[in-house]
């Protein structure tokens, strides 16, 4: 099954120490998901055959890269996604140990024994003090998803669960296998446990499939081939040492494996032999049907050999990661950028509706019961008529966040979405307005700005373009009241709205400006590069600073925090510190790439960093990391007395309840 690689970064901050998940620790109904979002059952799962045959419906594909999994403490594997007494739409969401719900997960593999018994593997869940990712197994019971098992991993593979699970397959509901980087796990109908492989050379295993409970194969890096005969796992010799990405087993006397360098292997019951060669990397195989790979490569089994499906027959150029077939006239292939192809017996056609994230795995219980899963929390269901919509309002990157109340919050980036207290919904955005910043004085007076000098305004009814006086990108804005709003652009201009129109304020020639914040109408700071400008209520005064400033944020009437770098311009060591404060408490330096922040008051400050644990909190005494459980990049944070919200790549929107 396919799965993307993880990136591990370090934060020079103290760990939280000894954190664990506990039952009911998080109410994921607060993850920004509409309580009435369509569920798989509504999309036709209840009409699917409950006894769909599992043995011909394995997981498939191979994801790029190799991430690792660490020790994340000892979380309780039985934590339910929903909290008792709280309505929750049945969607595979995860709540972190620090209460952040809505983590943008990467789903690497899906397999089911029936329409009401489906397993889903999420990878890259960050839940440890050292920032190593972990794997989470979700289970679908026909009406909702729940977290069933949580696998941490240690750098030393000699003990602990696998570093990273990558693929799932089962012979039946109480006989399910999982494989990954460093080992094999098994589900017996009650619990998941690690299978002893101490006498085997087990490396990076990438896929698993079988014809029955006594005939299971797993394949992996460097030509790894292992077979389960019902008693033990045994290694087999491969005729190549290329990485093997996928395996498909028809019977004890017929199996296929595919991988790098055009590798296609066939097993005849006695030995494996190479049957194809080339340079294309193949990611998945459905024996007696199809092989898929990089750059829309597809092979079709003719009955005696594999033939190339010409590009004219495929409506895509994307990498294809997984393939599944229910019959000769019904097959599916999924891959890069949300590509979903369907074979109806005569040709392949594109099926819209799966979003834009890469897809890595596909499984079906029947022709009208098919799951496709992948990056950015993508888990979509086909019911024979269409693909179910996701519960999130966007899968585009989000950069800005602002709200007037717990029931009126805006998030913006490529798309514009709104939270009304129960769900996020897309809003009609003026054409060409890709936004980087938001600010408002109340629910009927909200400003946004971004690329190309775009400024837009919301009056309570609609968003409209407003003349800005600049064509340069506007990365930041702040205001004290509705007729006193400031913004900065990347040409070094300071812009001002006086209640009637925007104008460019004369401040002299400066570096590109990228941050602005004020503690009051008479204390506003604009920064960018080696420039810091200060507004005292009457005029702007500037100074050249040794640091390279990038961002500014703070709380009403409180300290203003600035971030940037020192000792090498924009590429030096990062800093985060109070502006012109007598106190140096809380000032940071190191490698963390600050990108945003929000403060409720001087003792409640949040910063968004470009590291593996991206959120840190200042309580007036110390900074502590806050685990989000997400491997998505975050760009902004905003809060009120009731909630904290954070957002970032692939439409990630996280929520933490403060009450």
């Amino acid at each position: 099954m396919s799965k993307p690689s993880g990136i591990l970064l370090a934060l020079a901050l103290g760990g939280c120490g000894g954190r664990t998940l506990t039952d009911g620790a998080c109410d994921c109904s607060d993850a920004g998901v509409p309580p009435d979002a369509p569920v798989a059952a509504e999309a036709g799962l209840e009409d699917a055959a409950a006894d769909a045959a599992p043995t011909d419906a394995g997981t498939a594909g191979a994801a790029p890269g190799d991430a690792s999994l660490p020790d994340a403490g000892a979380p309780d594997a039985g934590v339910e996604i929903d909290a008792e007494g709280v309505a929750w739409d049945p969607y595979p969401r995860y709540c972190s140990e620090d209460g952040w719900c809505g983590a943008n997960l990467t789903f690497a593999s899906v397999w089911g024994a029936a329409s009401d018994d489906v397993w889903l593997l999420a990878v890259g869940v960050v839940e440890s003090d050292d920032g190593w990712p972990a794997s989470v197994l979700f289970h679908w019971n026909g009406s909702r998803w729940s977290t069933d098992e949580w696998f941490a991993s240690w750098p030393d593979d000699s003990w602990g669960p696998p570093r990273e699970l990558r693929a799932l397959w089962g012979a039946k509901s109480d006989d399910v296998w999982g494989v990954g980087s460093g080992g094999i796990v098994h589900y017996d109908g009650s619990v998941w446990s690690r299978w002893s492989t101490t006498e085997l050379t087990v490396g990076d295993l990438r896929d698993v499939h079988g014809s029955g409970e006594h005939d299971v194969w797993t394949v992996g890096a460097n030509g790894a081939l292992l077979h389960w005969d019902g008693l033990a796992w045994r290694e087999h010799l491969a005729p190549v040492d290329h990485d093997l990405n996928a395996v498909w087993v028809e019977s004890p006397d017929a199996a296929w494996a595919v991988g790098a360098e055009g590798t296609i292997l066939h097993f005849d019951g006695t030995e494996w032999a190479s049957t194809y060669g080339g340079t294309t990397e193949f990611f998945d195989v459905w024996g007696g049907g199809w092989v898929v790979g990089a750059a829309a490569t597809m092979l079709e089994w003719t009955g005696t050999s594999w033939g190339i499906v010409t590009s004219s027959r495929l409506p895509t150029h994307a990498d294809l990661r997984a393939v599944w077939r229910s019959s000769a006239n019904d097959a599916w292939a999924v891959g890069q950028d949300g590509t979903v192809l369907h074979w109806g017996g005569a040709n392949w056609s594109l099926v819209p509706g799966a979003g834009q994230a890469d897809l890595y795995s596909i499984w079906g219980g029947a022709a009208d019961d098919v799951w496709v899963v992948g990056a950015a929390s993508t888990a979509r269901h086909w019911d024979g008529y269409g693909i179910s919509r996701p519960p999130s309002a966007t899968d585009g990157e989000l950069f800005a966040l602002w709200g007037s109340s717990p029931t009126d919050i805006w998030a913006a980036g490529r798309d514009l979405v709104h939270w009304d207290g129960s769900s996020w919904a897309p809003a009609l955005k003026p054409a060409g307005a890709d936004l980087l910043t938001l600010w408002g004085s109340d629910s009927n007076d909200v400003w946004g700005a971004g690329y190309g000098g775009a400024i837009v305004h919301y009056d309570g009814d609609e968003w409209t373009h407003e003349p800005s006086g600049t064509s340069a990108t506007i990365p930041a804005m702040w205001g004290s009241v509705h007729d006193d709003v400031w913004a900065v652009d990347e040409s070094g201009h300071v812009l001002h709205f006086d209640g009637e129109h925007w104008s460019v304020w004369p401040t002299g020639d400066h570096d590109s400006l990228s941050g602005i914040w004020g503690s009051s109408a008479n204390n506003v700071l604009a920064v960018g590069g080696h420039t810091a400008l200060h507004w005292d209520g009457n005029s702007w005064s500037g100074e050249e600073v040794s640091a390279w400033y990038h961002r500014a944020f703070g709380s009403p009437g409180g300290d203003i925090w600035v971030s940037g770098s020192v000792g090498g311009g924009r590429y030096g060591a990062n800093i985060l510190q109070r502006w012109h404060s007598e106190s140096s408490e809380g000032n940071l330096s190191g490698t963390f790439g600050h990108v945003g922040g929000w403060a409720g008051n001087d003792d409640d400050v949040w910063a968004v960093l470009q590291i593996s644990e991206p959120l840190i909190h200042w309580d007036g005494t110390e900074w502590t990391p806050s685990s989000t459980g997400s491997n998505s990049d975050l760009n902004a944070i905003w809060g009120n007395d009731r909630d904290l919200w954070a957002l970032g790549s692939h439409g990630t929107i996280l929520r933490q309840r403060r009450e």
Side-chain angles (χ1 to χ4, degrees):
M1 226 48 287
S2 151
K3 175 177 136 4
S5 60
I7 299 175
L8 188 63
L9 299 174
L11 167 62
L13 295 170
C16 294
R19 300 176 305 183
T20 61
L21 275 174
T22 57
D23 284 329
C26 172
D27 170 14
C28 281
S29 61
D30 294 327
V33 183
D36 58 349
V39 302
E42 293 171 354
L45 262 181
E46 291 179 343
D47 297 327
D51 57 350
T55 55
D56 290 335
T59 56
D66 174 39
S68 311
L69 298 177
D71 178 3
D76 188 330
V79 177
E80 295 290 332
I81 290 182
D82 57 336
E84 184 178 356
V86 179
W88 163 243
D89 86 300
Y91 195 80
R93 293 280 179 157
Y94 187 75
C95 291
S96 76
E97 58 190 346
D98 284 335
W100 289 96
C101 297
N104 195 331
L105 306 177
T106 294
F107 298 133
S109 183
V110 60
W111 178 86
S115 60
D116 59 355
D117 182 12
V118 182
W119 291 95
L120 179 61
L121 170 64
V123 297
V125 179
V126 179
E127 282 287 20
S128 62
D129 295 339
D130 55 15
W132 289 61
S135 301
V136 175
L137 284 165
F138 294 89
H139 184 257
W140 170 259
N141 66 3
S143 61
R144 69 173 187 173
W145 290 97
S146 61
T147 50
D148 190 271
E149 185 60 90
W150 193 98
F151 284 108
S153 187
W154 291 258
D156 178 4
D157 280 340
S158 64
W159 57 291
R163 280 190 166 202
E164 177 180 75
L165 294 178
R166 299 173 70 99
L168 302 171
W169 179 86
K172 51 185 180 178
S173 60
D174 58 357
D175 184 15
V176 187
W177 295 95
V179 300
S181 164
I184 300 171
V185 296
H186 182 259
Y187 179 70
D188 63 3
S190 299
V191 296
W192 285 89
S193 57
R194 181 173 184 175
W195 200 264
S196 175
T197 55
T198 55
E199 297 181 359
L200 301 174
T201 305
V202 178
D204 179 11
L205 299 177
R206 301 186 177 182
D207 196 22
V208 58
H209 192 266
S211 66
E213 56 189 309
H214 298 148
D215 179 35
V216 184
W217 287 91
T218 179
V219 300
N222 304 314
L225 284 166
L226 285 77
H227 182 255
W228 170 258
D229 60 8
L231 298 175
W233 285 96
R234 294 179 173 85
E235 294 180 82
H236 282 245
L237 181 65
V240 297
D241 59 3
H242 304 311
D243 293 347
L244 298 177
N245 295 324
V247 61
W248 189 89
V249 186
E250 180 179 3
S251 71
D253 299 326
W256 298 91
V258 300
E261 302 296 329
T263 298
I264 300 181
L265 306 181
H266 182 257
F267 182 70
D268 62 4
T270 303
E271 62 180 357
W272 287 89
S274 181
T275 63
Y276 198 87
T279 58
T280 301
E281 182 166 13
F282 296 128
F283 297 121
D284 194 24
V285 56
W286 190 269
W290 313 93
V291 169
V292 296
T297 300
M298 181 179 288
L299 306 181
E300 182 179 11
W301 181 250
T302 66
T304 58
S305 63
W306 293 100
I308 296 176
V309 178
T310 60
S311 58
S312 62
R313 295 175 58 195
L314 292 173
T316 183
H317 298 289
D319 291 350
L320 298 176
R321 293 283 178 180
V323 61
W324 176 84
R325 189 180 80 168
S326 69
S327 69
N329 297 321
D330 180 56
W332 296 84
V334 300
Q336 186 180 18
D337 299 329
T339 298
V340 178
L341 303 179
H342 181 253
W343 169 259
N347 54 63
W348 287 94
S349 58
L350 275 172
V351 179
Q356 300 179 14
D358 292 346
L359 302 174
Y360 297 122
S361 182
I362 183 169
W363 174 84
D368 59 355
D369 178 22
V370 182
W371 289 91
V372 295
V373 303
S377 288
T378 302
R380 309 289 178 89
H381 181 258
W382 169 265
D383 65 354
Y385 298 97
I387 294 180
S388 60
R389 72 172 175 85
S392 56
T394 177
D395 58 7
E397 185 155 17
L398 298 170
F399 295 101
L401 188 60
W402 180 87
S404 67
S405 73
T407 59
D408 176 40
I409 303 170
W410 292 94
R414 186 195 66 188
D415 300 317
L416 184 64
V417 297
H418 181 258
W419 172 260
D420 63 3
S422 62
S423 66
W424 287 96
L428 185 62
K429 175 178 64 112
D434 289 347
L435 305 180
L436 297 172
T437 181
L438 292 169
W439 181 86
S441 65
D442 59 45
S443 60
N444 299 318
D445 178 38
V446 187
W447 292 95
Y451 294 104
I455 289 183
V456 295
H457 181 257
Y458 180 70
D459 62 3
D461 292 319
E462 63 178 346
W463 287 88
T464 56
H465 274 289
E466 298 287 336
S468 67
T470 181
S471 60
T473 293
I474 302 172
M477 62 178 9
W478 175 87
S480 63
V481 290
H482 74 280
D483 57 357
D484 180 31
V485 187
W486 297 95
V488 294
D489 74 13
E490 291 186 349
S491 291
H493 300 130
V494 174
L495 314 175
H496 185 256
F497 180 73
D498 60 5
E500 297 292 333
H501 57 81
W502 285 90
S503 60
V504 177
W505 203 273
T507 58
D509 296 328
H510 306 291
D511 292 329
S512 169
L513 297 175
S514 53
I516 189 167
W517 189 267
S519 63
S520 68
N522 300 324
N523 183 34
V524 184
L525 178 69
V527 298
H530 293 297
T531 298
L533 304 175
H534 181 256
W535 172 258
D536 62 6
N538 294 304
S539 62
W540 285 94
S541 59
E543 65 177 278
E544 185 171 333
V545 293
S546 59
W548 183 280
Y549 283 148
H550 181 53
R551 301 282 186 183
F553 72 98
S555 61
D559 291 331
I560 299 177
W561 292 79
V562 293
S563 67
S565 54
V566 294
R570 70 177 70 190
Y571 304 109
N574 299 127
I575 57 170
L576 177 61
Q577 60 191 30
R578 292 180 178 85
W579 170 255
H580 281 188
S581 172
E582 295 181 358
S583 172
S584 62
E585 266 196 308
N587 291 352
L588 294 177
S589 63
T591 303
F592 47 76
H594 173 253
V595 294
W598 173 84
N601 55 60
D602 288 348
D603 295 331
D604 181 23
V605 182
W606 288 85
V608 182
L609 312 179
Q610 292 177 319
I611 55 175
S612 58
E613 289 275 17
L615 294 182
I616 59 173
H617 179 249
W618 171 257
D619 62 3
T621 303
E622 63 179 348
W623 289 98
T624 55
S626 184
S627 174
T628 66
S630 176
N631 58 5
S632 298
D633 293 334
L634 298 181
N635 297 320
I637 187 170
W638 177 88
N640 51 47
D641 291 340
R642 174 177 159 183
D643 307 296
L644 284 171
W645 295 89
L647 53 74
S649 62
H650 299 295
T652 297
I653 301 179
L654 307 177
R655 184 186 191 184
Q656 183 193 69
R657 295 300 298 266
R658 310 194 81 187
E659 294 178 340

